[in-house]
Amino acid sequence: MSDFVARTPKQLGAILRGYRREWNLTQQSVGISCGLPQAAISQIESNPTTTSLSRIYRILSALDLELVIRPRNSGDPKTKW
């Protein structure tokens, strides 16, 4: 699969779901891998707005994915602070 950009929690949930499905994993199997119940995986995929960053990292780890932070454009990031 390609890299994807998530600018909203909903986009992040859809990306996680897409990778999980691409690799033919169930929500339950991902949950077992990261120590979360299946219902939590479902909730995070559909609406991750109230999920902790710790849970996101646990799912990323279970899916062997990483989070990359980069500027949206080529402008000087120092001027954004």
Side-chain angles (χ1 to χ4, degrees):
M1 286 183 96
S2 302
D3 291 344
F4 293 94
V5 175
R7 291 191 174 106
T8 67
K10 191 163 188 106
Q11 289 172 337
L12 177 60
I15 291 166
L16 293 173
R17 181 185 319 103
Y19 273 106
R20 179 183 60 76
R21 287 180 176 172
E22 177 74 19
W23 294 327
N24 296 314
L25 299 172
T26 64
Q27 291 175 339
Q28 184 174 2
S29 67
V30 172
I32 290 169
S33 293
C34 66
L36 295 172
Q38 177 274 327
I41 304 302
S42 176
Q43 184 273 325
I44 291 165
E45 287 182 357
S46 63
N47 185 18
T49 56
T50 60
T51 273
S52 71
L53 192 54
S54 173
R55 282 185 164 198
I56 297 294
Y57 274 104
R58 288 166 65 181
I59 294 171
L60 289 169
S61 179
L63 294 172
D64 199 26
L65 298 171
E66 63 186 358
L67 179 67
V68 176
I69 307 293
R70 66 173 183 240
R72 283 188 181 190
N73 58 38
S74 60
D76 182 3
K78 295 177 200 164
T79 61
K80 296 180 183 184
W81 305 103

